[in-house]
Amino acid sequence: MSHCLSLSRASSRMTMSFRRNFSQQMKKSVSHNLSKRHASIHGQTEVHSEKKRFFVSTSKHGDGRHSGNKDVQGEIRKKWVSSLEAAWEDAFKNMTTVQARQLAHKGRELQGSSNDLTYGEVNFSSLAQILCEDLQKHGVTLKGTFYDLGSGVGRGVIVAALVGSFDRIRGIEILPELFKASVDVLQEYKSRVAPQYSIPIPKELETVHANMIKADWSDADVIFINSTCFSKPLMEKIAAKAASLAPGSCVVTLTQHIVSQYFDLVESKKYEMSWGDATAHIHIRTEKECLNADIEARYRSRKKAIEKN
């Protein structure tokens, strides 16, 4: 009997020892695999982050099937959003929102207090998400030429420089006080901020003092317009002028959307801005040819240039 008990106890100890060893081996194996997976994701995301595509990189590497991957990607995305936003805020450390509003108020008094000149600033994270997630979801790439119509002190322009791969970025501002401030901001960004954060500078990065309706932006691939307070006549003029854009070009407006037979409204989504929530409307230029002879000539010229490239 005692011999049987001894064998039973020995067997029990061996079983427990086997389970303990097996458990430790499994933990080591899982830990090793997780480390390899994390390193792979981190390495791939770093490659993309050099191109400043933090939203795009994480969406490409995650299909939602592995919650562990999703968590890691989410953390990496937050890190890069925070890093780029820090650079954005650094560029405007000498031009606060309060200062910009004061300049806008002064400009409106000189130009006449039209609602079309009402000043409002975009949030970095909101515009970055619109450009990097929403646009690319509809096949719009952040390359070529970007315009910010009514660019103020250049906040939208700097966002495009940080998150896109545009060759040319141009802001158009009618109020001279805001335009002059934007020139100083861009100079600070190009001479100090971009080098400090190791961020490439587009071939052309500028703001111009002009009326958006009179200026030429027919070469645009992506246009952003903070149109929240724009009048109906101004929106109609923008829609008519935008008809000269090439097929596939994208126009993003806030609050008010473009009504045009030449554009498809593909998405409308609310985002937080400095003044509260605003709906971002994404419009894509269709293949439909223009009816107006002058606009059609520019349309065909732009289309041929794109087809050559």
Side-chain angles (χ1 to χ4, degrees), residues 115-179:
N115 283 341
D116 292 337
L117 301 176
T118 302
Y119 186 74
E121 293 189 340
V122 297
N123 286 353
F124 174 86
S125 58
S126 295
L127 184 53
Q129 187 173 347
I130 291 168
L131 294 176
C132 294
E133 286 190 347
D134 297 342
L135 263 59
Q136 301 223 5
K137 185 168 60 180
H138 297 287
V140 179
T141 58
L142 306 185
K143 296 179 179 180
T145 302
F146 174 92
Y147 280 88
D148 183 349
L149 305 185
S151 53
V153 296
R155 289 187 178 271
V157 169
I158 299 295
V159 172
L162 285 166
V163 305
S165 296
F166 298 104
D167 294 321
R168 185 182 182 208
I169 299 175
R170 174 176 283 187
I172 297 176
E173 176 54 51
I174 193 171
L175 294 180
E177 293 78 11
L178 294 178
F179 162 68

Side-chain angles (χ1 to χ4, degrees), residues 11 28 49 72 84 87 89 111 116 157 187 198 201 209 229 260 275 301:
S11 175
K28 287 180 181 178
S49 69
V72 171
L84 294 180
E89 290 176 349
Q111 296 273 342
D116 292 337
V157 169
Q187 180 58 36
S198 300
I201 300 172
H209 180 215
C229 293
S260 171
W275 63 91
S301 174

Side-chain angles (χ1 to χ4, degrees), residues 149-150 172 174 210-215 217 225 230 234 238 241:
L149 305 185
I172 297 176
I174 193 171
N211 183 320
M212 69 175 73
I213 298 303
K214 295 179 180 179
W217 33 268
I225 313 172
F230 283 6
L234 180 55
I238 290 171
K241 194 172 177 69

Side-chain angles (χ1 to χ4, degrees), residues 221 302-309:
D221 295 289
R302 175 70 174 137
K303 188 176 180 181
K304 283 181 181 178
I306 288 179
E307 287 172 352
K308 279 184 180 180
N309 295 331

